[in-house]
Amino acid sequence: MQHIGYSTLKNVKSTLLLGVAGGSAIKIMRKEIYNHELIVGVDVDPKVIELATAYFNLGAYQNLEINIQDAQDFMKSNKQKFDFILIDIFQ
Protein backbone atom coordinates (compact mmCIF):
# COMPACT_ATOMS: atom_id res chain seq x y z
CA MET A 1 0.00 0.00 0.00
CA GLN A 2 2.99 2.30 0.31
CA HIS A 3 3.18 2.34 -3.48
CA ILE A 4 -0.32 3.80 -3.68
CA GLY A 5 0.58 6.64 -1.36
CA TYR A 6 -0.65 6.92 2.19
CA SER A 7 -1.69 10.52 1.68
CA THR A 8 -4.23 9.35 -0.91
CA LEU A 9 -5.56 6.64 1.39
CA LYS A 10 -6.00 8.94 4.39
CA ASN A 11 -9.35 10.10 2.97
CA VAL A 12 -10.70 6.58 2.53
CA LYS A 13 -13.83 5.91 4.57
CA SER A 14 -14.76 2.47 3.24
CA THR A 15 -12.64 -0.34 1.85
CA LEU A 16 -13.46 -3.57 0.09
CA LEU A 17 -10.84 -6.29 0.47
CA LEU A 18 -11.24 -9.20 -1.91
CA GLY A 19 -9.21 -12.01 -0.36
CA VAL A 20 -8.85 -11.74 3.41
CA ALA A 21 -6.59 -14.75 4.15
CA GLY A 22 -4.76 -14.14 7.45
CA GLY A 23 -5.87 -10.52 7.63
CA SER A 24 -2.44 -8.91 7.17
CA ALA A 25 -3.83 -6.30 4.75
CA ILE A 26 -6.50 -5.43 7.32
CA LYS A 27 -3.86 -5.13 10.03
CA ILE A 28 -1.78 -2.77 7.88
CA MET A 29 -4.79 -0.65 6.96
CA ARG A 30 -5.84 -0.33 10.61
CA LYS A 31 -2.32 0.49 11.74
CA GLU A 32 -1.22 2.85 8.96
CA ILE A 33 -4.50 4.38 7.76
CA TYR A 34 -6.73 5.45 10.63
CA ASN A 35 -9.81 6.87 8.88
CA HIS A 36 -11.44 3.60 7.83
CA GLU A 37 -15.00 3.62 9.01
CA LEU A 38 -15.66 0.27 7.36
CA ILE A 39 -13.64 -2.57 5.91
CA VAL A 40 -15.59 -5.27 4.11
CA GLY A 41 -13.60 -8.43 3.56
CA VAL A 42 -14.57 -11.23 1.18
CA ASP A 43 -12.99 -14.68 1.24
CA VAL A 44 -14.24 -17.90 -0.27
CA ASP A 45 -12.73 -20.20 2.38
CA PRO A 46 -14.45 -20.27 5.78
CA LYS A 47 -11.60 -22.32 7.26
CA VAL A 48 -9.09 -19.57 6.42
CA ILE A 49 -11.28 -17.00 8.19
CA GLU A 50 -11.65 -19.35 11.16
CA LEU A 51 -7.86 -19.74 11.41
CA ALA A 52 -7.26 -15.99 10.96
CA THR A 53 -9.70 -15.30 13.77
CA ALA A 54 -8.16 -17.89 16.07
CA TYR A 55 -4.47 -17.24 15.42
CA PHE A 56 -4.20 -13.72 14.01
CA ASN A 57 -6.89 -11.99 16.08
CA LEU A 58 -9.02 -11.07 13.06
CA GLY A 59 -12.13 -10.72 15.23
CA ALA A 60 -10.57 -7.90 17.27
CA TYR A 61 -11.02 -5.28 14.54
CA GLN A 62 -13.97 -2.94 14.83
CA ASN A 63 -15.99 -1.93 11.78
CA LEU A 64 -14.94 -5.09 9.97
CA GLU A 65 -17.51 -7.08 8.03
CA ILE A 66 -16.47 -10.50 6.71
CA ASN A 67 -18.37 -12.17 3.89
CA ILE A 68 -17.71 -15.85 3.19
CA GLN A 69 -18.31 -16.19 -0.51
CA ASP A 70 -16.64 -16.11 -3.87
CA ALA A 71 -15.44 -12.59 -4.71
CA GLN A 72 -17.00 -12.71 -8.16
CA ASP A 73 -20.40 -13.63 -6.69
CA PHE A 74 -20.05 -10.88 -4.10
CA MET A 75 -19.28 -8.29 -6.76
CA LYS A 76 -22.27 -9.35 -8.85
CA SER A 77 -24.70 -8.96 -5.96
CA ASN A 78 -23.15 -6.06 -4.03
CA LYS A 79 -24.74 -2.63 -4.38
CA GLN A 80 -22.53 -0.82 -1.87
CA LYS A 81 -19.90 1.67 -3.06
CA PHE A 82 -16.37 1.72 -1.67
CA ASP A 83 -13.70 4.40 -1.66
CA PHE A 84 -10.92 1.84 -2.06
CA ILE A 85 -10.88 -1.73 -3.37
CA LEU A 86 -7.91 -3.97 -2.68
CA ILE A 87 -7.70 -7.25 -4.57
CA ASP A 88 -5.55 -9.95 -3.01
CA ILE A 89 -6.92 -13.16 -4.47
CA PHE A 90 -5.55 -16.02 -6.48
CA GLN A 91 -6.83 -19.31 -7.77
Side-chain angles (χ1 to χ4, degrees):
M1 281 182 271
Q2 288 175 323
H3 303 300
I4 297 168
Y6 286 135
S7 61
T8 302
L9 297 176
K10 291 285 184 188
N11 297 322
V12 168
K13 300 283 187 216
S14 61
T15 297
L16 172 62
L17 173 60
L18 300 176
V20 174
S24 60
I26 293 168
K27 182 178 181 179
I28 291 168
M29 284 187 280
R30 289 291 185 203
K31 183 178 178 184
E32 303 291 338
I33 309 160
Y34 307 104
N35 292 355
H36 287 270
E37 293 179 9
L38 174 66
I39 296 177
V40 175
V42 180
D43 203 292
V44 70
D45 192 341
K47 188 67 174 173
V48 168
I49 298 302
E50 180 183 321
L51 291 170
T53 301
Y55 294 101
F56 301 115
N57 210 18
L58 186 63
Y61 298 107
Q62 294 181 355
N63 301 326
L64 173 62
E65 178 186 313
I66 300 291
N67 293 279
I68 308 288
Q69 69 182 106
D70 184 89
Q72 188 174 18
D73 294 337
F74 177 85
M75 293 303 295
K76 286 179 182 177
S77 64
N78 177 61
K79 302 295 183 221
Q80 187 173 357
K81 293 187 179 196
F82 297 94
D83 296 325
F84 180 59
I85 299 174
L86 178 61
I87 303 171
D88 188 17
I89 55 177
F90 65 95
Q91 192 173 23

